[in-house]
Amino acid sequence: MLAILPMAAQAAPDGASTGPRQDVLQGGFLDYHPDMANNNRGMEALRAGDAPKAMEYFRRAARYADKASQALLGEMYWYGVNMAPDRVKALQWMELAAERDYPTFVELREKFRAALTPEELQQVEAGRKALWDEYGDAVASPRIAKELERGRRAITGSRTGALTGQVEIQFPAAMGGMRTIQASEYYKSQFWDPVEYQQWVDKSWIDYGKSKVRVGEVEAAAKAGDAK
């Protein structure tokens, strides 16, 4: 069991859906937020026990600067979810996840780093550039910015006002939970302006980390067939 998965349950409000509702997809929100969309699909695959598919979705989300997906990849490599553990790759991904200094991921990065041997740390150093060239914020943030700009253009005009204030929209939030907004909030610039969007995401994770800095050790499953 990944150490951060319990946080997903804590982040989700009581009775929240485990996936995007149909009105979200119809509204087009996730069409222009591939970071959220792929993280959500990855979480669903992980809970279903399909680790390869989960990692595929997390890598897709990671290309759009999704730090949660980068952290999940780090933990999957660390604990060896349906594969042999790879502590070098685990630290490389967790370094990426901690790029914006989210407290939870910084702690995990330091935990991983402290456990590695000097030889393993050399391997981390040797392979770091290739990973950052593909998934670091310098290249990943422009990708999500392009999608947000595309979405903002799409909702201007014909889409504006199409949703009423009575409709609730759900989308993935921190650690796999779900956030609910009224349709009237759908058009707020913080969801579509690249700068405001990153500020909103950063604030969510930094505030979350203030109360969730400590990450417990992995606990053994009560029965052999319980862990996935």
Side-chain angles (χ1 to χ4, degrees), residues 155 157-164 167 183 187:
I155 65 173
S158 60
R159 284 182 181 266
T160 303
L163 301 176
T164 70
V167 177
Y187 306 103

Side-chain angles (χ1 to χ4, degrees), residues 216-228:
E217 296 297 328
V218 176
E219 296 181 359
K223 297 179 181 180
D226 288 344
K228 291 186 178 182

Side-chain angles (χ1 to χ4, degrees), residues 25 34-35 41 43 74 82 88 97 102 114 124 139 151 158 190 203 212 223:
L25 301 178
D35 53 338
R41 293 175 186 131
M43 291 296 291
N82 289 1
V88 170
Y102 298 162
V124 171
V139 291
S158 60
Q190 70 182 18
K203 184 178 186 303
K212 298 292 180 183
K223 297 179 181 180

Side-chain angles (χ1 to χ4, degrees), residues 4-14 43 47 175-177 208:
I4 59 177
L5 278 184
M7 298 183 191
Q10 294 171 14
D14 291 341
M43 291 296 291
R47 292 189 181 103
M175 304 310 297
Y208 186 82

